[in-house]
Amino acid sequence: MKLNRGVVFVVASVAMIAAAAGRDERSIQDLSKALATLAPTVDPSEAQLLSLTAHTTARSLKQKYRVVLNPEFQNFLINIGLRDRGYCGHWSRDIGERLKELKPKTLVLHWGVYDPGRSGESNCVVVTARNQPFQEGIVIDGWRRAGRLY
């Protein structure tokens, strides 16, 4: 009976990992398409690279920040001194810095803030096409889903 439970656990784990990888791939493609359609001047290969980089950076930050459960719990762990990083501003800064290294030519990176200076403040990266208004950009937020882009 022990062997059967172990096999079931391994098969279930592999299935969950494959499903997560599939969702990531779909999310990468969906963001890439959304970025490419911001304007006719956006380079689709640049959009693809930015999407892939944003996703992989968010996933690596989840490990680096040692995220468990949800963002609110991560904030609690930071507040009591058990974690150093993982607030939304940390996610935005670290993802944004990595995206800046790509030196995008047809896309522009912005810092987005909701409700600045208040307890509900939320930070994110906003991507627009060149010469496009900030309000028409796409939000990239690694905090809200604890390492899965929102």
Side-chain angles (χ1 to χ4, degrees):
M1 197 64 159
K2 264 187 173 177
L3 179 62
N4 288 339
R5 284 185 187 172
V7 170
V8 168
F9 177 75
V10 169
V11 169
S13 297
V14 169
M16 289 187 330
I17 290 168
R23 282 194 307 269
D24 280 350
E25 183 58 36
R26 169 126 186 176
S27 183
I28 291 166
Q29 291 307 315
D30 288 348
L31 178 57
S32 176
K33 287 177 188 173
L35 292 169
T37 60
L38 283 171
T41 56
V42 173
D43 177 358
S45 62
E46 184 174 278
Q48 174 69 25
L49 180 59
L50 194 137
S51 178
L52 177 63
T53 303
H55 279 84
T56 56
T57 302
R59 285 306 207 172
S60 70
L61 289 174
K62 178 179 181 172
Q63 300 302 315
K64 180 179 178 181
Y65 298 160
R66 299 176 313 156
V67 174
V68 293
L69 297 177
N70 57 39
E72 293 81 10
F73 189 69
Q74 183 74 9
N75 287 1
F76 169 75
L77 293 175
I78 295 167
N79 288 335
I80 64 170
L82 293 177
R83 297 287 189 277
D84 294 327
R85 294 181 66 77
Y87 288 135
C88 60
H90 297 141
W91 288 90
S92 299
R93 184 174 301 113
D94 292 346
I95 292 171
E97 288 298 318
R98 181 65 186 98
L99 296 178
K100 277 199 273 185
E101 292 173 6
L102 301 175
K103 297 183 176 158
K105 293 180 180 27
T106 63
L107 294 167
V108 180
L109 306 171
H110 307 272
W111 183 273
V113 181
Y114 169 78
D115 212 11
R118 300 188 185 259
S119 63
E121 179 177 326
S122 185
N123 300 272
C124 63
V125 175
V126 176
V127 182
T128 64
R130 211 146 287 285
N131 301 316
Q132 184 180 43
F134 176 84
Q135 295 80 0
E136 293 181 24
I138 295 175
V139 170
I140 296 180
D141 179 353
W143 175 82
R144 188 172 312 272
R145 291 186 183 160
R148 295 186 60 80
L149 287 188
Y150 173 81

